[in-house]
Amino acid sequence: MKYRLVGGLVLVSAASLLFEIALTRVYAIAQGHHFAFVAIAMALLGIGAAGTLTATSARIARAAPQTAISWAGALFALTAVGAYVTADRIPLDTYRIGADASQLGWLALFFIVAAVPFTCAGVAVVAALRHSPAGAGTTYGASLAGSAAGTALAVPLLALVGSAATILLAAGLAVAATVITARRLPAIGAGLAVVAFFAGAMVVTPAGPRVSVHSQLAQALQRPDASRLDTELSANSRVDILEDAGFRTATGLSLNYTGSVPRPRLGLTVDGGNAAALDVPLTEALDHVPLAHAVGLRPAASALLLDPIGAFDAAALLRSGIDRIDLVQPDAALREAWQSSGDATVLNDSNIRVLSHGVRSALRSAAGYDLVIWPLRESFQGVAAGTFGLRETYALTRAALANGFRALAPDGRLVVTRWLQATPSESVRMWASMFDAIRLSGAADPAAHVLAWRSLEVVTMVASPTPFTATERQALSDGLERDGFDWVFHVELLESDSNRFNRLPDTALYGAFQAVVRGDPIPETWAPVTDDRPYFFHYFDWTQWREVLSTTGRTWQPFGGAGFLVLVPLAAAATGAAVLTMIAPLMGRRRRGATRIGLRRLGFVAAAGVAFTATQIALLQRLILVLDAPTVAFATGIAAMLAWAGLGSLSSRWWRPSPDSAAGMAAMSVFILGGLLLAAPLALGAPLAMRVAIGILAASPSLALGAVMPSAIRALADDRAAISWAWAVNGTASVAAAFVAAILIVSIGFAWTLLGAALAYAVAVPLWRTKDPRPTSPR
């Protein structure tokens, strides 16, 4: 029976993590990528609430562990499918939260239905811990090992069957846990399992997650003749191929151009956004876009084009006579969408070689290109499009640009195009990052190596290892004047010559670019983007909070300019919900457990929860850089950390450290983990399998983290209510830490956040007295 219990725990835990990762993809498509982190917080909330449920329900507390696990599996299967179906139909509109109070109610319901399945999974673990505290290492280790396995399954399943079917398969794992654990499968449990599975098969799989009504996909399909031709899936994205959806062809096209601009019929969206055209014709219009001037500045035969979505940039290069184009596209769904379009798109031209590497890996190994081009991949975002800024963009950091600069031939050009905004944060930040990268390369006079010009809507920036000559600048000036493009920077540019054609209200853009070149102090929102804080679109400064809050609910962006600030009330709301669902029910007749465990020890388990969660989030953020793909990094990081921690938990049953010793070792291990993660990007350019292996090895210090909670639970073996208190407080702290860690990583970076996690473990050491108030005898 022991092995059946362990098997049931493994399956339920695997189902829980598989469901969690699939849910992040559902939320990314249905509500936007900024909402994906909610799935993590709700998982922590639900699992932590299981401690309260087991303490306050006498029936659950008395239940045999195999009964608790079998029922938990059946209910998880039912509620997981129900959570997906319900959440997909809740009329939650996050864009209206600041203006419509009723949305707060829908948001609360959204959270509740997501948390319930995790509560069911948590009950299985807590019931086993309460039944045999002495075996906490085995129980906790089995749970972590199952979670690691579920995470590892997520990447192939999401790529093969999509997020909705993956949720169905997670429910199937929970059903399997019910079958192998129960002595006699209860009739009602079997009924619940069957309902969950077949309801999912009929309802979940065909439908798939609905996209946000505000997404470009939803809006494009409102056009009378628009239709969706196909949908491609990968672990990282959903790509929809559309016809007659009104796609744009020539970004930045000169207003002086009077020829025809053919309207493309085919295009695609990625996760409902970033719409781009596929069938871009090689017409004369492409001679009058900003990119054409960058290509024609010097002779060029080869180009490295980094992660485009549509065909515009590739078409402009082919039109300009570039006969060797290496196109970097790590997303399998995009590559499949291009291939399915056949001859309709130039992306399948024989002169284009598509590379499946990530951007940073491709740049690490690239060399000798005449052009390295960062296309305008993202759709236009206002400066105050707050939640968009919560996405990490390692392809746009100073280090990425430095790698691109080193990949150039002596006369090559690095070309970047960004949107021109009313407050030019996007273009100035890119300019600062690029200029800093050139300065770090050792150029004697960096200003002589860079140029910038603008159309009505975009700014194009160019850098070269060889300084631009006066003759080259004059030839380029003639071409820009023909197309009515304005200079933004060259070494001899006068302010009066920077605002001639596409007239702006002032010359602030010219002044900002000049300030970067002179090295003058600039706002933090314009500062170069680093790998430690890779949030290119994060323009919020804490000094702006009053101004930002005053516009909440009055702008079209999600949450207005308060996109980052929304993490603060969400953190408070989630923590409050955790306190209400995990701790408040324990305060009455179950207070004895709190008295037994004591405030210091409650502080210990809280610090352990904060530290573990913060370490996990920092690990995931760093592995996105190493592995080039968010979902792969998410799955690899969580699987590796949980597997190592599970091994540490299992081993703790033999060496049995005291809680304070375990916390001390965990603090030192986090420091070691931080050092390994800082060195891990050196593997960029290596095969993906090798980088995954390095990521797994970099997470190996998590071995010590897995011993902390089992050691605390063993020390509380003589009081089952105290175990429930420890679990509930640990869960509450973990929920808060998920949001706080996200705020810290965006605000102060990866290194400081990981240092904070190590300090949390260090603070836990003196909170637990080496000698218990009275002897305990594990049983």
Side-chain angles (χ1 to χ4, degrees):
M1 182 60 70
K2 178 180 178 181
Y3 296 105
R4 295 174 67 184
L5 287 176
V6 170
L9 278 176
V10 168
L11 287 172
V12 169
S13 299
S16 176
L17 263 292
L18 184 59
F19 174 64
E20 178 183 343
I21 295 176
L23 209 57
T24 64
R25 289 293 308 142
V26 170
Y27 287 172
I29 294 170
Q31 299 292 340
H33 285 87
H34 60 277
F35 220 72
F37 70 89
V38 170
I40 301 173
M42 291 306 101
L44 294 170
L45 175 64
I47 292 172
T52 302
L53 191 59
T54 56
T56 55
S57 171
R59 183 171 183 178
I60 294 177
R62 290 194 304 266
Q66 60 267 29
T67 302
I69 293 172
S70 62
W71 273 94
L75 290 173
F76 176 91
L78 181 63
T79 57
V81 175
Y84 169 76
V85 173
T86 304
D88 202 36
R89 286 157 178 77
I90 289 175
L92 174 65
D93 186 348
T94 57
Y95 284 58
R96 296 169 53 201
I97 284 179
D100 183 357
S102 68
Q103 290 299 318
L104 294 174
W106 291 119
L107 181 64
L109 181 59
F110 199 86
F111 285 175
I112 291 169
V113 298
V116 170
F118 297 107
T119 301
C120 297
V123 165
V125 181
V126 180
L129 288 172
R130 285 174 60 101
H131 176 74
S132 179
T138 300
T139 301
Y140 202 65
S143 175
L144 291 173
S147 299
T151 306
L153 284 172
V155 171
L157 287 178
L158 287 171
L160 290 172
V161 299
S163 54
T166 299
I167 289 175
L168 177 64
L169 292 173
L173 287 177
V175 170
T178 297
V179 172
I180 71 168
T181 307
R183 290 194 181 97
R184 296 185 304 274
L185 185 63
I188 189 169
L192 291 172
V194 170
V195 169
F197 196 82
F198 287 101
M202 293 184 292
V203 178
V204 176
T205 307
R210 299 181 182 181
V211 298
S212 168
V213 295
H214 300 286
S215 68
Q216 289 178 300
L217 172 59
Q219 294 172 17
L221 290 175
Q222 297 297 314
R223 297 175 66 91
D225 299 327
S227 61
R228 177 163 39 201
L229 301 180
D230 197 7
T231 298
E232 302 288 352
L233 299 173
S234 72
N236 296 300
S237 68
R238 160 182 160 169
V239 175
D240 292 279
I241 305 172
L242 307 178
E243 185 177 25
D244 294 326
F247 292 100
R248 301 181 64 183
T249 305
T251 303
L253 181 65
S254 168
L255 296 179
N256 292 347
Y257 176 67
T258 58
S260 61
V261 182
R263 183 180 297 275
R265 295 192 61 197
L266 289 179
L268 48 77
T269 61
V270 180
D271 285 348
N274 293 334
L278 286 176
D279 54 336
V280 179
L282 303 183
T283 63
E284 185 185 359
L286 295 177
D287 298 334
H288 300 272
V289 297
L291 178 58
H293 294 278
V295 175
L297 184 58
R298 290 173 179 165
S302 63
L304 181 66
L305 182 58
L306 301 171
D307 196 14
I309 291 179
F312 164 69
D313 298 275
L317 292 173
L318 291 171
R319 172 72 184 184
S320 298
I322 306 300
D323 56 13
R324 183 169 70 87
I325 302 173
D326 286 344
L327 191 157
V328 176
Q329 184 44 257
D331 193 335
L334 273 170
R335 297 196 304 268
E336 291 170 4
W338 296 346
Q339 292 172 4
S340 68
S341 300
D343 294 337
T345 176
V346 298
L347 292 169
N348 296 319
D349 189 277
S350 59
N351 290 322
I352 296 178
R353 182 177 63 159
V354 178
L355 308 177
S356 59
H357 310 308
V359 170
R360 294 297 296 270
S361 289
L363 288 173
R364 176 60 66 89
S365 56
Y369 286 96
D370 296 318
L371 294 162
V372 176
I373 299 172
W374 271 260
L376 191 55
R377 190 179 193 276
E378 296 82 10
S379 299
F380 178 84
Q381 299 289 333
V383 175
T387 48
F388 189 76
L390 300 178
R391 297 184 62 183
E392 58 282 309
T393 47
Y394 282 108
L396 299 178
T397 66
R398 177 178 60 194
L401 292 162
N403 288 338
F405 198 69
R406 287 193 293 269
L408 292 171
D411 286 335
R413 281 92 69 207
L414 184 153
V415 183
V416 186
T417 300
R418 299 308 313 170
W419 293 106
L420 177 60
Q421 300 158 313
T423 301
S425 298
E426 182 172 321
S427 55
V428 179
R429 170 165 279 179
M430 176 54 69
W431 179 253
S433 299
M434 186 173 76
F435 196 79
D436 216 22
I438 296 169
R439 184 188 292 116
L440 293 175
S441 72
D445 181 16
H449 294 257
V450 293
L451 303 169
W453 59 90
R454 63 177 173 86
S455 67
L456 180 66
E457 57 185 0
V458 298
V459 180
T460 299
M461 293 155 272
V462 179
S464 174
T466 302
F468 295 105
T469 66
T471 302
E472 289 173 332
R473 292 198 306 271
Q474 184 57 54
L476 180 57
S477 291
D478 294 341
L480 297 180
E481 184 165 355
R482 178 199 68 193
D483 281 332
F485 294 151
D486 286 291
W487 277 107
V488 179
F489 180 83
H490 64 70
V491 289
E492 297 179 357
L493 180 65
L494 299 176
E495 184 173 5
S496 58
D497 293 331
S498 68
N499 202 20
R500 297 174 56 201
F501 304 110
N502 299 284
R503 300 294 298 273
L504 299 177
D506 54 43
T507 57
L509 185 63
Y510 166 87
F513 273 53
Q514 290 286 344
V516 169
V517 172
R518 292 192 302 265
D520 296 346
I522 58 175
E524 177 64 25
T525 54
W526 292 354
V529 181
T530 66
D531 283 347
D532 191 58
R533 292 177 60 194
Y535 297 92
F536 181 86
F537 300 98
H538 176 64
Y539 306 122
F540 175 78
D541 187 290
W542 284 102
T543 62
Q544 303 169 338
W545 70 272
R546 291 181 184 274
E547 178 185 355
V548 167
L549 288 180
S550 68
T551 63
T552 302
R554 302 179 184 179
T555 61
W556 62 268
Q557 295 95 349
F559 304 113
F564 176 68
L565 275 183
V566 78
L567 287 177
V568 177
L570 277 179
T575 304
V579 170
L580 290 174
T581 58
M582 299 181 200
I583 297 178
L586 298 172
M587 293 299 293
R589 57 191 176 90
R590 299 288 175 176
R591 191 176 296 171
R592 182 176 60 86
T595 304
R596 173 66 182 84
I597 190 172
L599 291 178
R600 289 165 60 90
R601 293 182 175 185
L602 288 176
F604 176 92
V605 293
V610 168
F612 190 91
T613 303
T615 302
Q616 187 178 71
I617 290 178
L619 170 71
L620 298 180
Q621 194 256 13
R622 195 66 176 178
L623 286 185
I624 291 173
L625 166 61
V626 179
L627 302 182
D628 283 321
T631 304
V632 174
F634 191 92
T636 301
I638 291 182
M641 185 173 177
L642 294 180
W644 285 113
L647 185 60
S649 178
L650 289 170
S651 65
S652 71
R653 63 180 293 187
W654 294 291
W655 59 289
R656 291 182 175 267
S658 63
D660 53 330
S661 297
M665 288 185 290
M668 291 186 288
S669 297
V670 172
F671 278 112
I672 296 172
L673 185 145
L676 293 175
L677 290 176
L678 287 173
L682 295 175
L684 283 169
L688 178 61
M690 182 180 295
R691 284 181 282 129
V692 168
I694 289 172
I696 293 173
L697 289 175
S700 60
S702 304
L703 189 77
L705 277 57
V708 178
M709 279 299 290
S711 66
I713 291 170
R714 277 194 298 267
L716 300 170
D718 63 340
D719 195 323
R720 303 298 193 264
I723 293 175
S724 293
W725 267 97
W727 187 271
V729 171
N730 180 268
T732 301
S734 298
V735 171
F739 290 94
V740 172
I743 294 171
L744 290 177
I745 284 181
V746 176
S747 300
I748 62 177
F750 152 82
W752 285 105
T753 302
L754 206 56
L755 176 61
L759 291 177
Y761 274 126
V763 167
V765 173
L767 292 177
W768 191 285
R769 290 179 293 180
T770 304
K771 186 176 181 180
D772 288 335
R774 65 169 184 255
T776 61
S777 55
R779 59 179 184 271

